[in-house]
Amino acid sequence: MSTAEIRRRFTAHFAENTEIGEHTVVPSASLLLDDPNLLFVNAGMVPFKPYFLGQATPPYQRATSVQKCIRTPDIEEVGKTTRHGTFFEMCGNFSFGDYFKEGAITLAWELVTKSVADGGFGFDESVLYPSVLNGDEEAVALWKKISGLPDDRIVRLPPSENYWSMGVPGPGGPCSEILIDRGPEFGADRDWDAGDRYLEFWNLVFMQDNVVAARSKYDVDIDGPLAQTGIDTGLGLERVAYLMQGKSNMYETDVVFPVIEKAMELTGKKYGASYEDDVRFRVVADHVRSSLMLISDGVTPGNEGRGYVLRRLMRRAIRNMRLLGYEDPAMPELLPVSRDKMGETYTELLSGWDRIKRVADSEEEAFRKTLAAGTQIFDLAATEVKSSGSTTFTGAKAFQLHDTYGFPIDLTLEMAAEAGLEVDEAGFRGLMTEQRERAKADARAKKGQHADLSVYRGILDANGPTDWQAYTTLETESKPLALLKEGKAVDVLGPEEIGEIVLDRTPFYAESGGQSADAGIIEFDGGRLEVVDVQRPVKGLVVHQVRVVDGEFHGNGLVHAQVDKEWRIGARQAHSGTHVVHAALREVLGPTALQSGSFNRPGYLRLDYGWTKGLTPEQMHEIEEVSNNALRADLPVSWDYMTLSEAKEWGAIALFGETYDDSKVRVVEIGGPWSRELCGGTHVDHSAQIGTIVVTSEASVGSGNRRIEAYTGVEGFNYLARERDVVSELNLLLKSKSDDVVGRVSDLMERLKAAEKEIARARTAQLLASGGSIAASAVDVNGVQVVAQRVPGVGGGDARTLAQDVRSRLGDAPAAVVLFGDADDKVAVVAAVNPAGIAQGVKAGDLIKELAPVVGGRGGGKPDFAQGGGTEVGRIDEAVAKVKSLVAGA
């Protein structure tokens, strides 16, 4: 049975169920969700977390989905086992206060055991073993009742296996897994920890406990039952696929194995011939698919966060193709294979292919350069190791190559072996462990900051959603519902105190969709509040952060909420301007130039987009021109509400990583199909109301990501006025006309450069003229001619030139020159040793390592030349005196 058919049968089983109830089929969310605890969606229930945590009211009682997921903790284990994969799809069914244990078990058992002819998976009951949390006798009784299995077929497992929570305060509960016995060749009889023999492929979570503290997913403190129970299940699509397709692991299924087949064709190697090569083939297949899905969802390679994960996956895939013997670019050959298989389900892979290909090709090209540069760095390091008489490449050096230059450890091991060296793997692994622990500590710290939103949820439950009128008015008469300070209810806010107020209705726009929150005031009988910020901590509730400007606020009586009119005008101009610049960008660069993030406030906009190279001045000018032509055309701006699927069919653009309401979305249109985007922000009525768009900069904000900044409205005109004033001042200084300023400045720059070169030549000539007298000061130290002098007013570059000149004047006899410059209250120290001096045991690098600390600095270099610096000018004479003893010791 194909993976696509397994996916279809799963959702159909729940969507068409009439006994327990039809489930709403929810499309897969993006791999990127705004969650402080997660880089990526790593489980099927993640998009439903707000419902389980009580942060939002679910729009349905029952749901089913097949969710894209990424898990990254075990990347290095990929390919070595049947269980570790980076990208996977999780099939799930969910109940929000509807059916519970009996319903979940009934639905699961029916689908798993129902015949293929009747629409099920057709697993043989004789090899299935349900597991329950040890002590959950209710689940045991239900499994016996529903499945008819005897007691010894129900496996009792400890909390470490069969209890689940989110790892933070919230819902939790016991689990029940369905295991399949794959036979004695995979492990011992009834050895539930064997892993590969009794394989778990479906986990049913019974959310029934109110978890108040969580040290892990199963080590929790429980404060009674939840007010509303829930069901969260997860069936691994890849696991079911390889079980039903008669394969031994997930890499051999119908959607993954074609990449391995292509890799075999390119490399000439055979899958199944050796364990080492099989692991490499599996890594390639997994990482190519994972990279494809991440790029499709808007991730671009980078050095931190999500971008670093993608970069690591791509580079591991490329590296493993090289280990299999393929030296040419691999991604252009492999990605299309994965695209064709995954695109059968995720059609955005086909429509977004040009952008995906551009990102992937750019990253592989960059990595090939990294490999070339890293190889040079390795060669230098290996030479140093050998020259020191050692045969071990340090763990610190291997870690530096890996962490700083992206040089894979397996490549370091291979090249070290070829050079006759060993690598301190233990040291390298230790440093990697330290890095992981730091990352885990950071993640734990972030989890510790998981906001307690219960107070806001309580306000929402007691009063209902805020009557939000930001689209229709700038002022309302409102009733205070709650007054908070530092997350706790208070009775009063005194002068200059900052707190939070919740109103029954509000005209204030809460920060979202890249648009900053409104500014304004809230007036009450006897005083006034300044609105500092406006947020939505839980869906449906608008919360105003305020500062008491006048009076003392007790949170009672009616208040008058009023948005700053000028602020809102500027905000509307900036947000509509962002849409215009995005449309202009796509017109100039093509439809693959998609926005990946934005921020706008009155008079200013910032737009991030996926692109691999900087814009030319001509392109920037064209984007600005297209934008302002759209303003001059006074294009109509309108918005409408529709379903997400209708919006996509209409051509509306959705922002990468954003989540949208399952029932209705808001589409903002400027000039018809020219600009159609999903957006909840405030906008002008006609494009001419934006005033002007002045593009001020375009720069990189990470690999594959660029940023355009611009001013709008009055701020745009003010920016142009400042530029005009600068040009006017230059005209006065240069006594020129505006159209000649650039030529005059360019001419002055050329003359300045010529003067600087002439000065540098004169300074060098002066320095070299002193070289003879300095060389004449050489003294003999154990047969080595030694020069050690302070050269006042000389910086590092000049000291280097002078030292090399003096060394050449000393001839072929053993010689060492050490000079100390003291320009700009800094010390520059350089050492130059000729070949005969090196043969005598005197090395420039060793001298600098000893001398630089004397003057409060550090340095190093090669045996023939080295340099360093310091800050303690007053200790130069001490360092000069030390040179002779160092040479003598050498």
Side-chain angles (χ1 to χ4, degrees):
M1 186 181 296
S2 70
T3 299
E5 177 61 15
I6 295 169
R7 184 190 293 109
R8 188 201 65 78
R9 287 184 181 227
F10 184 89
T11 54
H13 175 70
F14 292 98
E16 300 165 6
N17 189 277
T18 55
E19 280 187 37
I20 293 176
E22 295 179 354
H23 291 56
T24 300
V25 179
V26 180
S28 174
S30 167
L31 288 165
L32 322 178
L33 285 185
D34 186 16
D35 188 305
N37 302 314
L38 298 173
L39 272 181
F40 305 108
V41 171
N42 63 354
M45 61 78 59
V46 170
F48 302 98
K49 278 177 66 175
Y51 307 146
F52 286 122
L53 286 169
Q55 297 171 357
T57 302
Y60 28 65
Q61 288 184 294
R62 300 170 298 278
T64 184
S65 70
V66 180
Q67 174 62 44
K68 300 179 291 186
C69 301
I70 288 278
R71 287 185 185 167
T72 60
D74 302 313
I75 286 178
E76 292 185 2
E77 298 303 313
V78 168
K80 299 177 183 176
T81 73
T82 61
R83 300 183 304 280
H84 292 98
T86 312
F87 174 86
F88 60 97
E89 295 177 83
M90 186 65 75
C91 306
N93 59 287
F94 307 90
S95 166
F96 309 102
D98 193 57
Y99 62 86
F100 195 47
K101 289 185 181 180
E102 183 170 6
I105 292 172
T106 299
L107 287 164
W109 190 251
E110 179 184 345
L111 176 59
V112 168
T113 59
K114 187 166 54 177
S115 71
V116 171
D118 291 332
F121 292 155
F123 282 107
D124 185 350
E125 292 183 16
S126 66
V127 295
L128 299 179
Y129 290 77
S131 75
V132 300
L133 176 67
N134 193 13
D136 187 0
E137 293 306 314
E138 178 188 8
V140 172
L142 287 170
W143 271 111
K144 290 180 180 179
K145 171 188 170 182
I146 294 164
S147 70
L149 295 174
D151 189 79
D152 67 348
R153 290 281 296 282
I154 315 296
V155 184
R156 280 78 165 177
L157 294 176
S160 59
E161 295 294 328
N162 269 29
Y163 191 89
W164 188 91
S165 76
M166 295 185 190
V168 295
C175 304
S176 183
E177 300 173 336
I178 301 179
L179 315 175
I180 185 168
D181 182 2
R182 302 177 70 198
E185 64 269 30
F186 290 96
D189 188 39
R190 299 186 75 83
D191 181 357
W192 311 114
D193 295 325
D196 282 347
R197 173 157 185 181
Y198 297 96
L199 185 72
E200 173 247 321
F201 63 90
W202 201 344
N203 186 21
L204 318 178
V205 180
F206 309 132
M207 291 193 177
Q208 62 186 43
D209 300 329
N210 181 28
V211 174
V212 293
R215 290 163 292 279
S216 70
K217 288 191 181 296
Y218 65 89
D219 183 11
V220 300
D221 296 333
I222 300 169
D223 182 24
L226 290 171
Q228 175 180 287
T229 60
I231 289 295
D232 156 30
T233 85
L235 173 143
L237 180 61
E238 284 79 6
R239 289 193 181 185
V240 173
Y242 76 73
L243 290 171
M244 296 192 70
Q245 291 173 15
K247 305 299 182 181
S248 61
N249 57 63
M250 62 179 287
Y251 310 103
E252 298 172 11
T253 62
D254 59 324
V255 295
V256 181
F257 195 68
V259 176
I260 292 179
E261 291 180 313
K262 184 64 177 180
M264 285 193 289
E265 175 190 325
L266 294 172
T267 63
K269 299 285 183 70
K270 295 296 181 184
Y271 182 74
S274 75
Y275 174 76
E276 290 79 9
D277 282 352
D278 284 357
V279 170
R280 290 164 182 161
F281 277 121
R282 293 168 190 163
V283 168
V284 168
D286 174 90
H287 288 4
V288 164
R289 184 169 74 140
S290 301
S291 300
L292 172 74
M293 302 307 291
L294 284 171
I295 298 172
S296 175
D297 273 4
V299 183
T300 54
N303 290 326
E304 59 183 25
R306 293 164 173 162
Y308 178 72
V309 172
L310 173 58
R311 171 162 285 169
R312 188 179 176 200
L313 291 172
M314 291 187 66
R315 293 187 171 191
R316 278 174 57 85
I318 296 164
R319 171 60 187 151
N320 276 275
M321 283 297 288
R322 292 172 71 93
L323 291 173
L324 287 166
Y326 189 72
E327 298 286 339
D328 293 332
M331 284 295 174
E333 300 289 342
L334 300 174
L335 272 180
V337 179
S338 189
R339 173 205 61 194
D340 292 344
K341 297 304 297 182
M342 297 301 295
E344 295 171 3
T345 300
Y346 300 103
T347 55
E348 62 268 24
L349 296 173
L350 307 177
S351 60
W353 174 245
D354 288 345
R355 182 186 59 82
I356 294 169
K357 183 180 188 312
R358 187 179 66 247
V359 171
D361 290 352
S362 176
E363 176 62 15
E364 181 160 14
E365 181 183 355
F367 184 46
R368 290 170 68 83
K369 292 178 181 176
T370 293
L371 287 174
T375 300
Q376 291 181 339
I377 295 166
F378 174 88
D379 289 341
L380 288 172
T383 300
E384 287 183 11
V385 171
K386 290 181 177 180
S387 65
S388 68
S390 174
T391 59
T392 302
F393 202 84
T394 67
K397 181 61 72 174
F399 181 77
Q400 180 190 26
L401 279 167
H402 168 84
D403 197 53
T404 305
Y405 301 103
F407 211 59
I409 181 60
D410 53 356
L411 182 56
T412 300
L413 291 169
E414 179 183 312
M415 293 177 63
E418 292 171 354
L421 300 173
E422 296 180 345
V423 177
D424 178 14
E425 280 194 75
F428 171 80
R429 302 294 175 192
L431 291 169
M432 287 293 293
T433 300
E434 289 178 18
Q435 186 184 63
R436 289 194 191 100
E437 289 303 318
R438 286 194 296 271
K440 288 179 181 178
D442 181 57
R444 286 193 293 269
K446 287 181 179 178
K447 280 194 175 184
Q449 297 163 8
H450 192 88
D452 181 4
L453 302 176
S454 57
V455 63
Y456 303 113
R457 184 66 201 178
I459 297 170
L460 181 64
D461 290 343
N463 302 282
T466 304
D467 181 6
W468 189 60
Q469 300 184 10
Y471 290 152
T472 57
T473 185
L474 294 178
E475 52 187 303
T476 59
E477 296 296 320
S478 306
K479 176 185 176 182
L481 301 177
L483 187 63
L484 308 170
K485 184 175 181 181
E486 297 177 353
K488 297 179 180 178
V490 294
D491 296 323
V492 63
L493 285 178
E496 295 302 318
E497 280 194 291
I498 293 177
E500 293 178 325
I501 181 174
V502 180
L503 305 174
D504 64 340
R505 67 176 58 88
T506 181
F508 283 90
Y509 183 84
E511 180 182 356
S512 64
Q515 180 175 330
S516 62
D518 276 336
I521 59 171
I522 298 175
E523 295 177 324
F524 60 93
D525 187 14
R528 187 165 54 124
L529 308 172
E530 176 192 2
V531 177
V532 178
D533 193 14
V534 190
Q535 296 290 333
R536 294 178 188 266
V538 295
K539 188 175 181 179
L541 192 73
V542 177
V543 178
H544 312 75
Q545 187 182 65
V546 296
R547 180 176 66 87
V548 181
V549 178
D550 296 313
E552 194 174 71
F553 185 57
H554 291 267
N556 49 30
L558 290 178
V559 300
H560 183 74
Q562 184 171 339
V563 176
D564 183 321
K565 182 180 179 181
E566 292 303 315
W567 180 280
R568 175 65 73 80
I569 290 173
R572 293 169 65 199
Q573 289 174 321
H575 205 150
S576 296
T578 304
H579 286 224
V580 168
V581 171
H582 188 201
L585 184 75
R586 288 163 55 77
E587 184 173 320
V588 173
L589 299 184
T592 61
L594 286 170
Q595 177 182 332
S596 58
S598 68
F599 173 75
N600 52 78
R601 63 172 187 265
Y604 167 84
L605 69 86
R606 182 181 77 208
L607 185 146
D608 295 346
Y609 63 103
W611 205 250
T612 54
K613 57 184 178 182
L615 299 182
T616 65
E618 292 76 19
Q619 287 173 322
M620 287 184 63
H621 176 76
E622 189 176 355
I623 290 167
E624 187 176 66
E625 184 176 31
V626 170
S627 299
N628 284 291
N629 282 339
L631 271 54
R632 186 173 64 179
D634 198 21
L635 301 174
V637 180
S638 60
W639 44 88
D640 199 0
Y641 293 88
M642 59 191 73
T643 65
L644 183 59
S645 59
E646 288 172 340
K648 289 182 176 179
E649 288 176 10
W650 207 39
I653 298 172
L655 187 64
F656 283 124
E658 283 288 320
T659 55
Y660 299 95
D661 190 276
D662 294 318
S663 55
K664 292 290 183 180
V665 294
R666 182 172 182 256
V667 178
V668 175
E669 181 182 78
I670 301 178
W674 187 68
S675 171
R676 284 178 179 152
E677 297 191 32
L678 273 62
C679 180
T682 61
H683 289 272
V684 299
D685 298 313
H686 292 270
S687 62
Q689 293 172 335
I690 298 171
T692 188
I693 291 175
V694 181
V695 176
T696 59
S697 69
E698 192 275 345
S700 171
V701 287
S703 178
N705 262 319
R706 311 288 302 179
R707 172 173 293 170
I708 284 180
E709 294 182 277
Y711 288 122
T712 60
V714 174
E715 285 299 319
F717 287 114
N718 288 341
Y719 177 86
L720 293 174
R722 291 193 297 270
E723 294 288 293
R724 178 198 60 198
D725 292 343
V726 169
V727 173
S728 295
E729 290 184 27
L730 286 173
N731 285 335
L732 289 173
L733 288 171
L734 299 172
K735 295 181 175 60
S736 65
K737 296 180 180 180
S738 297
D739 56 4
D740 193 36
V741 168
V742 174
R744 291 294 304 276
V745 171
S746 178
D747 179 59
L748 285 173
M749 291 297 295
E750 288 298 323
R751 290 161 62 184
L752 179 61
K753 288 178 183 177
E756 288 176 341
K757 288 180 180 179
E758 187 60 36
I759 292 170
R761 280 195 294 268
R763 185 174 60 245
T764 301
Q766 186 178 16
L767 278 172
L768 297 180
S770 65
S773 60
I774 294 175
S777 69
V779 297
D780 185 278
V781 178
N782 293 343
V784 178
Q785 296 299 303
V786 177
V787 171
Q789 276 199 24
R790 177 175 187 163
V791 281
V794 173
D798 289 338
R800 179 187 183 106
T801 301
L802 185 57
Q804 291 172 328
D805 177 67
V806 172
R807 180 181 59 183
S808 67
R809 291 173 183 267
L810 293 175
D812 296 330
V817 179
V818 182
L819 301 180
F820 296 84
D822 61 1
D824 301 322
D825 293 324
K826 294 180 181 178
V827 181
V829 54
V830 294
V833 182
N834 65 10
I838 296 172
Q840 291 286 89
V842 182
K843 296 178 182 178
D846 294 342
L847 293 175
I848 292 298
K849 286 178 183 177
E850 294 290 334
L851 294 169
V854 177
V855 292
R858 59 182 181 178
K862 300 178 180 179
D864 64 326
F865 188 87
Q867 59 188 358
T871 57
E872 298 183 34
V873 176
R875 297 186 65 188
I876 289 179
D877 292 341
E878 179 185 343
V880 170
K882 189 175 180 179
V883 174
K884 294 178 183 178
S885 62
L886 290 175
V887 173

